[in-house]
Amino acid sequence: TGSPPRRTPPRDQREAAMVWSCDSCTLENADDRRSCEACEAARPLPPWSCASCTFENRGLDEECEVCHTAKPAPTWTCAACTLQNGDALTACDACGAARPGASPPPANSTVEYDVVVPDGVPVGGVFEALVGDLSIPVTVPSNLMPGRRLRIRVDPNASAALHHPPPQTPPPPPPPPPPAA
């Protein structure tokens, strides 16, 4: 006649079912939910481990509860060169590779790179800056000396105008010595 009473599984079985507890109402929600089923509060951020003391802090904590070290900024790892990049970047700061899952850059957008002006290149001179697998011609501005860093902006949509560096070929051998007289 009536349905059997619902039984609550033991706590260890609930934990094995991958649930998260709401910070507002404490309801245990299914792992695939982004907000609480009861109160609709947002799912809490995942916990983070302090780099200084290894204490595991709540996701919403901006500093370690034990040693007060600031929460590290989110990062992503470049698949091409393994650099840890800031979360706001959509391309690697070192090699320019696109962030996995990032949308292609909008038209007329630019990516910035730091390059070093080589020794021997005068003001107004041009040198080839290697960025990833591209070679970009750069003119040295009048306020910059050799050996100094220069930030350049590249439109990734115009990469067809850039060229791949020529293969490195060894210099020709010196001419043979003149015959002895």
Side-chain angles (χ1 to χ4, degrees):
T1 60
S3 59
R6 264 178 66 159
R7 291 185 167 177
T8 303
R11 181 163 183 78
D12 59 341
Q13 287 179 1
R14 286 195 315 258
E15 287 174 358
M18 299 297 290
V19 296
W20 57 272
S21 180
C22 176
D23 285 345
S24 298
C25 71
T26 70
L27 178 72
E28 288 186 343
N29 292 277
D31 189 50
D32 62 347
R33 292 194 58 90
R34 301 184 98 194
S35 62
C36 178
E37 188 173 8
C39 70
E40 297 185 5
R43 183 178 182 161
L45 297 170
W48 58 276
S49 293
C50 178
S52 298
C53 72
T54 70
F55 181 77
E56 188 168 290
N57 294 277
R58 295 176 303 165
L60 56 93
D61 293 336
E62 292 301 317
E63 68 176 29
C64 179
E65 292 180 38
V66 174
C67 70
H68 305 289
T69 299
K71 180 180 183 178
T75 61
W76 60 274
T77 303
C78 176
C81 73
T82 70
L83 179 74
Q84 290 290 314
N85 290 278
D87 198 45
L89 295 176
T90 57
C92 178
D93 199 30
C95 72
R99 178 180 182 166
S103 302
N108 300 325
S109 67
T110 59
V111 179
E112 293 187 344
Y113 301 95
D114 284 330
V115 297
V116 177
V117 177
D119 290 333
V121 179
V123 168
V126 176
F127 69 95
E128 296 287 320
L130 295 177
V131 178
D133 64 347
L134 297 175
S135 179
I136 303 169
V138 177
T139 302
V140 179
S142 61
N143 63 344
L144 205 63
M145 301 300 293
R148 300 297 303 258
R149 288 197 176 278
L150 172 67
R151 183 154 284 232
I152 61 172
R153 289 184 181 94
V154 178
D155 181 349
N157 298 310
S159 64
L162 306 175
H163 60 280
H164 294 272
Q168 298 294 324
T169 56

